[in-house]
């Protein structure tokens, strides 16, 4: 049976483009109504318009608590309820720990960790009023394993993993499920610098597509995952399964 989101109302952050836009489009195609939020207003408005009357856009900085109240109100006032929150908005930079700029670390933590924290706080009352719901936190492969140059980014994404588990425990009695999704290299603006669709470190050998992540998130948003909470689901082509040998057959660290 295909995933069915008919009657559900979702709020997806960072939905102007990339994985968030793919999620919003798929949610609407599966019957949901969707509030898209982003700081990229022009792109966000365009994405919402391309989806149609089942979608609306709200300019929203996830680090702003007042903005969260506005975003949740847009869902409740516009569509009558809130069933799904996808904490997708993120910023991505890399640097060694020694060379990392503390100011950039602060931005990564505020957007990638504090933002979802504020989002959960803002969404819970509306979800309780709806009788429960599903929260999906978009972490990363870097939230499952150490990756060179990902000290600051990885710290935020590991923190989001811990936040997810704690929220699952605290909100379970309210019928609110909380899970984390851990994408690897996905073909978005964030990974455009790679310049290739090949991914030798992933057993599947390629970079993923936003739609492949969106399908997993849609499942977690749906009632088909009704007994799934506190889970950590990797969608990374197997890259986090373990260190692969070099293509020459030699140990890459030898």
């Amino acid at each position: 049976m295909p995933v069915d989101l008919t009657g559900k109302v979702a709020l997806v952050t960072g939905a102007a483009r990339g994985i968030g836009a793919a999620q919003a489009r798929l949610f609407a195609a599966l019957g949901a109504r969707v509030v898209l939020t982003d700081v990229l207003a022009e792109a966000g408005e365009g994405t919402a318009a391309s989806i149609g009357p089942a979608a609306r856009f709200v300019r929203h900085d996830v680090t702003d608590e007042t903005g969260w109240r506005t975003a949740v109100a847009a869902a409740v006032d516009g569509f009558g309820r809130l069933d799904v929150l996808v904490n997708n908005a993120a910023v991505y930079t890399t640097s060694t720990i020694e060379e990392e700029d503390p100011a950039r670390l602060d931005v990564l933590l505020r957007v990638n960790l504090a933002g979802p924290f504020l989002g959960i706080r803002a969404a819970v009352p509306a979800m309780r009023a709806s009788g429960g719901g599903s929260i999906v936190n978009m972490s990363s492969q870097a939230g499952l394993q150490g990756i060179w140059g990902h000290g600051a980014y990885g710290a935020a994404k590991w923190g989001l993993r811990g936040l997810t588990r704690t929220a699952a425990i605290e909100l379970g009695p309210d019928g609110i499920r909380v899970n984390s999704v851990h994408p690897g290299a996905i073909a978005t603006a964030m990974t455009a610098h790679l310049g290739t669709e090949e991914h030798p470190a992933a057993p599947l050998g390629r970079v993923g597509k936003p739609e492949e992540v969106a399908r997993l998130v849609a499942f977690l948003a749906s009632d088909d995952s009704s007994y799934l909470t506190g889970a950590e689901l990797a969608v990374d082509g197997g890259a986090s399964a373990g260190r692969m040998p070099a293509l020459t057959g030699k140990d890459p660290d030898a």
Side-chain angles (χ1 to χ4, degrees):
M1 295 290 291
V3 170
D4 185 6
L5 297 179
T6 300
K8 294 190 181 298
V9 175
L11 193 164
V12 182
T13 68
R17 61 187 185 180
I19 294 174
Q23 292 166 357
R25 290 192 181 98
L26 181 58
F27 279 22
L30 295 173
R33 290 166 292 174
V34 190
V35 173
L36 297 76
T37 84
D38 209 302
V39 295
L40 303 175
E42 184 176 353
E45 292 280 7
T47 300
S50 72
I51 294 173
R56 61 183 54 192
F57 174 76
V58 175
R59 190 188 183 286
H60 172 215
D61 177 351
V62 297
T63 68
D64 177 24
E65 190 169 9
T66 300
W68 270 109
R69 290 194 290 268
T70 300
V72 171
V76 175
D77 297 343
F79 296 129
R81 57 190 294 130
L82 179 62
D83 304 285
V84 180
L85 168 63
V86 184
N87 280 311
N88 174 76
V91 292
Y92 175 72
T93 63
T94 61
S95 174
T96 63
I97 295 170
E98 284 187 297
E99 297 177 348
E100 185 61 86
D101 180 353
R104 191 163 58 183
L105 168 63
D106 183 63
V107 171
L108 285 165
L109 292 174
R110 286 193 295 111
V111 175
N112 297 356
L113 181 56
F117 183 94
L118 294 175
I120 293 171
R121 283 167 52 93
V124 163
M127 288 188 172
R128 283 197 183 110
S130 299
S134 173
I135 297 173
V136 182
N137 291 325
M138 300 300 296
S139 182
S140 169
Q141 179 188 342
L144 292 173
Q145 61 181 175
I147 301 177
W148 190 93
H150 286 64
Y153 181 79
K157 291 301 187 177
W158 276 82
L160 185 56
R161 181 182 177 188
L163 175 63
T164 298
R165 288 192 172 197
T166 301
I169 294 169
E170 293 182 356
L171 301 178
D174 295 305
I176 300 172
R177 299 180 294 106
V178 191
N179 295 286
S180 61
V181 170
H182 299 256
I186 307 297
T188 68
M190 281 188 176
T191 59
H193 65 283
L194 295 175
T196 179
E197 293 184 359
E198 296 182 359
H199 187 9
L204 293 185
R206 63 174 176 84
V207 170
K209 300 175 182 178
E211 293 75 17
E212 292 176 303
V213 181
R215 288 194 289 271
L216 173 58
V217 177
F219 168 71
L220 293 174
S222 76
D223 293 338
D224 290 340
S225 59
S226 57
Y227 199 56
L228 187 61
T229 193
E232 301 160 350
L233 303 171
V235 53
D236 61 5
S240 62
R243 183 171 58 87
M244 291 185 65
L247 297 180
T248 60
K250 298 179 181 179
D251 189 313
D253 295 332

